[in-house]
Amino acid sequence: MPNFTRITKFNLTEFSEIQELQTVCGVFFLVMYLEILMSNFLIITLITLDLKLQTPMYFFLKNLSLLDIFLMSVSIPSFFVNSITHINSISILGCAFQIFFMTSFSASETVILTAMSYDRYIAICCPLHYELIMSSCTCVLMMCVSWATGLLFGILYIDGMFSMNFCGSNVILQFFCDVPSLLRISCSKTPVVIYASLGLGMFLGMSCFICVVISYFYIFSTVMKIPTTKGQSKAFATCIPHLTVFTIFIATACFVYLKPPSKSPSVADKLFSVLYTVLPPALNPVIYSLRNNDIKCALRRLQKILCT
């Protein structure tokens, strides 16, 4: 029988073999993390405190910012610590927590972004019934469904991944634990629950993508029928930020998880792994604040209150 050594911990891949450069990368991503943290917390604070932002669109935006904070906090702080200490090992329990939270928050964010497209569809295509359809109960229900979906996927993935045995190489070709990397180093047959989880993940992603495409098909068809250019610009101004955020999130996720696996990841692979966790949380506050007059006005009102 083959002599296998059971793995008790994993080694994560560094960005650079040069320790000084790895430290610089860690400090750079820490600065980015703190900036993104403050900008998303600012949006959450504005939406929570300003009475004029108590609408379904901003309710979903607040939850999106909260999910961005959670998603980014799973991998970036540990990456910074590993870069400073140059200790890249992670325990099996720590790896399990990373997979659980990354999967949960990613699935929840996908559902939230889909709910936001439905909100824009109702607002533009059915404006007379908007308050009736997008009631407080409906928004809370959608939010609960998104968080419950994320929790379900997290449990499924963690149950499937850690019912397998890991032996031989313990090197994970990522700077955080993810499912494809663990499947590469598993020495046991992939359990049915993993295939079911991967299938459900693909189904969720495709379903949300199709729903968003259908929503924006009807949105653009309705907007093009608006007789005035000003009316069209106003309608597009509420849709373009969300469509941009959704496209960035899906594009980076597809590049990370749908590309063919490689034994030695390139610099581009590592870069896109970072972009998947950092880029959407970094761009969401910029996209929604710089192009949104309501957020700008709420910020000015908050500044006046703080100054007085």
Side-chain angles (χ1 to χ4, degrees):
M1 294 180 64
N3 184 19
F4 288 129
T5 302
R6 189 174 296 274
I7 291 174
T8 58
K9 63 180 181 179
F10 300 108
N11 288 327
L12 302 173
T13 303
E14 293 183 333
F15 264 82
S16 173
E17 296 180 357
I18 304 174
Q19 289 191 353
E20 291 77 9
L21 184 58
Q22 181 70 16
T23 302
V24 171
C25 289
V27 174
F28 174 73
F29 285 116
L30 176 64
V31 173
M32 282 189 63
Y33 172 73
L34 294 176
E35 183 180 352
I36 295 168
L37 204 65
M38 289 187 292
S39 58
N40 278 283
F41 268 126
L42 178 61
I43 285 186
I44 293 172
T45 303
L46 289 175
I47 295 174
T48 302
L49 298 180
D50 200 294
L51 296 178
K52 293 186 178 180
L53 299 182
Q54 305 304 312
T55 62
M57 181 176 73
Y58 294 110
F59 172 79
F60 291 127
L61 178 57
K62 180 170 69 173
N63 280 275
L64 180 65
S65 295
L66 191 62
L67 281 169
D68 282 338
I69 291 172
F70 290 156
L71 179 63
M72 186 179 54
S73 298
V74 175
S75 57
I76 299 301
S78 62
F79 171 71
F80 166 72
V81 173
N82 293 342
S83 299
I84 296 299
T85 60
H86 304 292
I87 299 175
N88 298 310
S89 61
I90 184 172
S91 65
I92 290 182
L93 183 61
C95 191
F97 274 114
Q98 279 197 346
I99 287 183
F100 174 76
F101 287 120
M102 286 289 290
T103 304
S104 298
F105 297 143
S106 298
S108 296
E109 184 155 341
T110 304
V111 178
I112 281 286
L113 288 169
T114 306
M116 292 175 75
S117 71
Y118 177 73
D119 170 70
R120 292 299 84 205
Y121 162 73
I122 298 297
I124 293 175
C125 299
C126 309
L128 299 179
H129 303 285
Y130 180 74
E131 292 185 2
L132 179 64
I133 298 174
M134 298 302 297
S135 62
S136 299
C137 293
T138 304
C139 294
V140 172
L141 179 62
M142 287 182 173
M143 185 267 294
C144 291
V145 167
S146 70
W147 285 90
T149 302
L151 182 63
L152 174 64
F153 272 85
I155 293 173
L156 283 175
Y157 273 88
I158 205 69
D159 178 61
M161 288 307 305
F162 291 91
S163 61
M164 299 189 301
N165 294 320
F166 300 99
C167 48
S169 175
N170 66 338
V171 178
I172 294 177
L173 302 180
Q174 281 281 20
F175 73 98
F176 60 90
C177 288
D178 67 342
V179 175
S181 298
L182 289 179
L183 287 176
R184 291 190 193 104
I185 62 175
S186 171
C187 59
S188 60
K189 292 183 178 180
T190 305
V192 177
V193 68
I194 282 294
Y195 289 118
S197 301
L198 293 174
L200 286 174
M202 290 292 295
F203 176 76
L204 176 68
M206 289 302 299
S207 299
C208 291
F209 178 77
I210 291 171
C211 289
V212 171
V213 169
I214 292 174
S215 297
Y216 275 101
F217 172 78
Y218 285 106
I219 286 171
F220 290 146
S221 298
T222 303
V223 169
M224 296 308 296
K225 295 177 184 177
I226 298 176
T228 62
T229 305
K230 184 178 180 180
Q232 291 180 351
S233 300
K234 186 177 179 181
F236 278 128
T238 63
C239 297
I240 296 302
H242 168 263
L243 188 59
T244 304
V245 169
F246 181 80
T247 302
I248 292 171
F249 182 75
I250 293 297
T252 53
C254 287
F255 186 90
V256 171
Y257 292 111
L258 296 184
K259 65 179 180 60
S262 58
K263 293 184 179 180
S264 56
S266 63
V267 176
D269 295 336
K270 298 176 183 178
L271 181 61
F272 269 90
S273 298
V274 174
L275 292 180
Y276 170 65
T277 55
V278 172
L279 191 60
L283 291 182
N284 288 356
V286 175
I287 292 171
Y288 279 105
S289 59
L290 293 182
R291 296 181 56 87
N292 192 306
N293 289 325
D294 292 338
I295 296 290
K296 293 178 184 177
C297 293
L299 182 58
R300 284 194 289 266
R301 286 193 291 269
L302 180 62
Q303 289 175 335
K304 288 180 181 178
I305 292 173
L306 294 177
C307 290
T308 56

